């Protein structure tokens, strides 16, 4: 199950100027934003709209300006990835690109990939549409819970700024939080232990359809990694703990390997770029596209000594696990207790999804809403029709199917304070647009995933562990205190999340910078100087923090791992 194509791709990167480059435009191009593109918006794309997509339209992540209207382009067979783009032959629109087949459990209907369990236009079968005022819940048309339009502070579907809660969320927009929290396909604070296969590749759902084997899906762990089945990583793999990495199966890393302790393998190890191991190396055998770096005196078995460089090795923690770095899910929930939410504006009862005894659909317009919990014996479907933050101040426990999805062009962020459990199937997001849905679990009990869970979203389990039973396929990414698999875990990392903060920009009155402050500098502080103070790269949305100000990177270490420095910008290779 090796990936020779990825290995050759990584060897090409090793010979290019990408790692550690010092090229690119410096701060001081005259526009005051520090991105070097001269447009004054601070996003580096040169178009002046502040959304980072380079098209100058100001539309969202999965939208384009078609006929003067921001139009969803993910999954629309008439606008598949762009205005008026359609797929030819037998292909279908699978997100923002054409493909031969639909991803995950989606079904092809009229040239589009749809979820027959939740699509109101194709409910249980192609062309079976629900009536006005109804939606599709597990393949049946049901009336929606009656709610009013979104509150006045949410024109045109957003944005939602300042979740509160302190730490990483203070003063931040949901998209800004997501693009920093989800840099890795899989990231764990304590340990990753597997008895099943882990396979991580990458794609960019805002740039095209998913295709297997894409480079850039990384795995990070601040502690120990132990495996008894193959680990296939198309991007970089970092484990910072002194316990290092132990495997009895194939380890195939497409880009860079960093290990804070010994590397012990009773099977082959293959690394596309350099490997850094702060301890002994025993592999059977080991192939490295670049150089193996180990400390003086370390034992090295399985690789030619000519590929070994000896000297100090330091592996920093890859995952943002310190208190000030983690997303404060519990604090965010508490900060939106009544009346600090928009329930009253739309007439939503916080107990609307308690003791559910009939199939129930809740469609939410733009706003921040609070539920006291979700439980009952019948199916529940929650759909964001615009940009929505859903606070669940309690437990989620149902004995029937449950889904959290976003309509085309919408975004959904869910913050749950209590435990999460269901005996039915669970659907979170869509493989067509994973970056649009983010799910944050705040309980110490963590989350368990079975083979009846369908995820096209990003999962954050900052206080607890994530466990799998059965084979699980996830489009998006995950962050957890720990990860333990007893079945195969396949993750298709969606690099589109690294631009999620672009949707937080709201164009100001005629300044063209996309920050809404009217000063034209793109930094949002209103002073016109383009400076943004910082302590770390996280403060700069994963970009470089240079001498206390966000600016251009010069080496990879300036970037938040696993991003690499390329022409002054921190980028994800592949997805």
């Amino acid at each position: 199950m090796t990936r020779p194509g990825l290995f050759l791709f990584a060897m090409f990167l090793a010979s290019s100027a990408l790692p550690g480059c010092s090229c690119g435009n410096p701060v001081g191009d005259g526009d005051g934003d520090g991105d070097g593109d001269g447009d004054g918006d601070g996003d580096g794309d040169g178009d002046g709209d502040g959304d980072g997509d380079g098209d100058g339209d100001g539309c969202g992540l999965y939208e384009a300006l078609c006929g003067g209207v921001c139009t969803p382009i993910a999954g629309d067979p008439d606008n598949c990835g762009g205005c008026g783009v359609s797929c030819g032959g037998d292909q279908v629109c699978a997100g923002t690109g054409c493909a031969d087949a639909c991803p995950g459990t989606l079904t092809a209907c009229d040239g589009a990939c749809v979820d027959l369990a939740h699509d109101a236009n194709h409910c249980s079968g192609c062309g079976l549409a629900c009536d006005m005022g109804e939606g599709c819940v597990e393949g049946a048309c049901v009336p929606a819970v009656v709610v009013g339009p979104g509150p006045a502070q949410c024109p045109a579907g957003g944005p939602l700024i300042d979740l509160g809660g302190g730490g990483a969320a203070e003063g931040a927009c949901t998209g800004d939080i997501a693009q920093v929290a989800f840099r890795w396909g899989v990231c764990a604070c304590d340990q990753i232990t597997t008895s099943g296969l882990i396979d991580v590749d990458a794609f960019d759902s805002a740039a095209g359809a998913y295709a297997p084997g894409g480079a850039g899906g990384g795995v990070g762990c601040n502690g120990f990694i132990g495996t008894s089945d193959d680990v296939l990583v198309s991007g970089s793999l970092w484990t910072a703990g002194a316990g290092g990495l132990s495997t009895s199966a194939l380890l195939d890393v497409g880009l860079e390997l960093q290990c804070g302790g010994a590397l012990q393998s009773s099977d082959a190890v293959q690394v596309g770029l350099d490997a850094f191991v702060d301890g002994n190396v025993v592999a059977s055998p080991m192939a490295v596209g670049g150089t193996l770096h180990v400390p003086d005196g370390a034992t090295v078995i399985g690789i030619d000594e000519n590929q070994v460089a000896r000297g100090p090795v330091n592996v920093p923690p890859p995952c943002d696990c310190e208190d000030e770095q983690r997303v404060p899910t519990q604090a965010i929930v508490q900060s939106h207790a009544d009346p600090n939410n928009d329930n009253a504006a739309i007439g939503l009862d916080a107990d609307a999804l308690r003791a559910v005894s009939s199939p129930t659909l809740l469609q939410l317009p733009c706003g921040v809403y609070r539920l006291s919990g979700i439980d009952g014996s019948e199916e529940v479907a929650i759909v964001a029709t615009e940009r929505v933050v859903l606070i669940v101040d309690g437990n989620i426990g149902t004995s029937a199917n449950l889904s959290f999805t976003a309509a085309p062009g919408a975004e959904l962020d869910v913050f749950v304070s209590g435990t999460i459990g269901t005996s039915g199937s669970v659907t979170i997001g869509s493989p067509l647009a994973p970056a649009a849905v983010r799910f944050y679990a705040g309980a110490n009990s963590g989350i368990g995933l079975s083979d009846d869970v369908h995820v096209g979203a990003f999962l954050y389990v900052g206080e607890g562990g994530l466990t799998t039973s059965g084979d699980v396929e996830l489009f998006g990414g995950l962050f957890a205190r720990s990860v333990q698999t007893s079945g195969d875990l396949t993750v298709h990392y969606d690099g589109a999340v690294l631009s999620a903060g672009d949707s937080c920009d709201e164009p100001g009155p005629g300044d063209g910078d996309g920050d809404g402050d009217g000063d034209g500098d793109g930094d949002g502080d209103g002073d016109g100087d383009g400076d943004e103070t910082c302590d770390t790269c996280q403060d700069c949305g994963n970009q470089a923090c240079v001498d206390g100000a966000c600016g251009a990177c010069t080496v990879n270490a300036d970037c938040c791992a696993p991003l690499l420095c390329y022409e002054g910008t921190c980028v994800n290779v592949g997805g």
Side-chain angles (χ1 to χ4, degrees):
M1 299 183 71
T2 60
R3 290 192 176 114
L6 277 180
F7 185 71
L8 293 175
F9 170 71
M11 291 182 68
F12 165 76
L13 286 179
S15 65
S16 74
L18 180 64
C21 70
S22 59
C23 43
N25 295 317
V27 175
D29 55 14
D31 61 15
D33 61 17
D35 64 13
D37 62 17
D39 63 15
D41 64 13
D43 62 17
D45 63 18
D47 62 23
D49 66 10
D51 66 10
D53 61 15
D55 58 18
D57 56 26
C59 295
L61 186 61
Y62 297 104
E63 295 179 323
L65 197 65
C66 302
V69 177
C70 287
T71 302
I73 56 171
D76 183 348
D78 297 321
N79 301 282
C80 190
C83 302
V85 177
S86 59
C87 301
D90 295 328
Q91 288 195 316
V92 292
C93 184
T96 58
C98 301
D100 294 330
C102 293
T105 59
L106 302 185
T107 300
C109 289
D110 297 332
C113 293
V114 303
D115 181 354
L116 297 179
H118 303 104
D119 192 311
N121 295 315
H122 306 279
C123 191
S124 79
C126 295
L128 301 178
C130 297
D131 293 335
M132 184 70 68
E134 292 184 332
C136 189
V137 179
E138 297 306 321
C141 295
V142 302
V145 174
V146 178
V147 297
Q153 68 264 33
C154 287
L160 295 169
I161 303 292
D162 194 357
L163 285 177
E170 192 64 38
C173 169
T174 52
D176 290 332
I177 292 172
Q179 75 176 28
V180 173
F182 297 113
R183 301 187 305 273
W184 299 82
V186 178
C187 217
C189 295
D190 294 340
Q191 63 182 14
I192 298 175
T193 56
T194 76
S195 56
L197 168 75
I198 289 185
D199 189 355
V200 182
D201 61 4
F203 73 118
D204 185 338
S205 65
Y210 168 73
V219 172
C221 182
N222 288 8
F224 165 77
I225 296 180
T227 77
S228 57
D229 204 337
D230 293 350
V231 176
L232 312 177
V233 181
S234 73
S236 295
L237 185 149
W238 286 28
T239 177
L245 190 154
S246 176
T247 176
S248 56
L250 172 67
L251 177 64
D252 185 2
V253 180
L255 298 180
E256 188 176 77
L257 170 67
Q258 297 218 20
C259 182
L263 172 61
Q264 303 282 339
S265 173
S266 55
D267 204 329
V269 175
Q270 182 167 285
V271 181
L273 297 178
D274 288 346
F276 300 83
V277 180
D278 192 12
N280 297 331
V281 175
V282 178
S284 301
M286 185 174 191
V288 178
T291 301
L292 170 62
H293 300 263
V294 297
D296 292 330
T299 298
V300 177
I301 299 175
I303 188 172
D304 191 324
E305 185 68 28
N306 291 327
Q307 283 191 272
V308 178
R310 297 182 179 274
V313 174
N314 176 48
V315 179
C319 307
D320 298 339
C321 298
E322 299 298 325
D323 288 344
E324 67 274 12
Q325 296 175 320
R326 287 183 292 129
V327 177
T329 302
Q330 297 286 6
I332 290 171
V333 171
Q334 294 168 12
S335 68
H336 289 92
D338 295 336
N340 297 322
N341 54 63
D342 296 316
N343 283 34
I346 66 169
L348 175 64
D349 186 344
D351 296 328
L353 298 184
R354 303 301 302 272
V356 173
S357 58
S358 61
T360 301
L361 169 67
L362 177 60
Q363 295 178 321
L364 295 172
C366 179
V368 180
Y369 304 102
R370 174 184 171 271
L371 296 174
S372 61
I374 303 173
D375 53 58
S377 58
E378 290 291 342
E379 290 86 358
V380 172
I382 298 171
V383 180
T385 60
E386 296 177 302
R387 191 170 301 158
V388 171
V389 172
L390 177 61
I391 303 294
V392 182
D393 192 2
N395 299 331
I396 296 177
T398 67
S399 56
N401 298 343
L402 175 66
S403 66
F404 299 86
T405 59
E411 294 182 31
L412 175 62
D413 289 87
V414 182
F415 296 87
V416 184
S417 66
T419 59
I420 301 171
T422 176
S423 55
S425 69
V426 176
T427 298
I428 305 175
S430 168
L432 301 183
V437 178
R438 288 84 66 162
F439 192 101
Y440 300 84
N444 292 331
S445 55
I447 292 180
L449 299 181
S450 70
D451 56 9
D452 207 14
V453 172
H454 312 286
V455 178
F458 285 83
L459 303 182
Y460 192 97
V461 196
E463 303 300 327
L466 183 136
T467 59
T468 69
S469 58
D471 297 341
V472 174
E473 182 178 31
L474 186 154
F475 292 81
L478 65 91
F479 178 105
R481 174 63 64 183
S482 62
V483 175
Q484 181 177 1
T485 73
S486 57
D488 293 348
L489 175 63
T490 302
V491 178
H492 310 299
Y493 176 68
D494 181 10
V497 76
L498 298 173
S499 299
D502 294 343
S503 63
C504 294
D505 296 323
E506 184 175 17
D511 62 13
D513 65 13
D515 61 22
D517 61 18
D519 63 18
D521 65 17
D523 66 10
D525 64 13
D527 63 13
D529 63 10
D531 293 330
E532 183 178 354
T533 60
C534 58
D535 293 319
T536 68
C537 57
Q538 287 89 344
D539 297 332
C540 302
N542 300 328
Q543 297 301 308
C545 178
V546 183
D547 297 328
C550 298
C553 63
T554 56
V555 294
N556 293 337
D558 291 338
C559 302
C560 290
L563 305 188
L564 302 176
C565 183
Y566 179 66
E567 295 186 350
T569 301
C570 299
V571 300
N572 184 49
V573 175

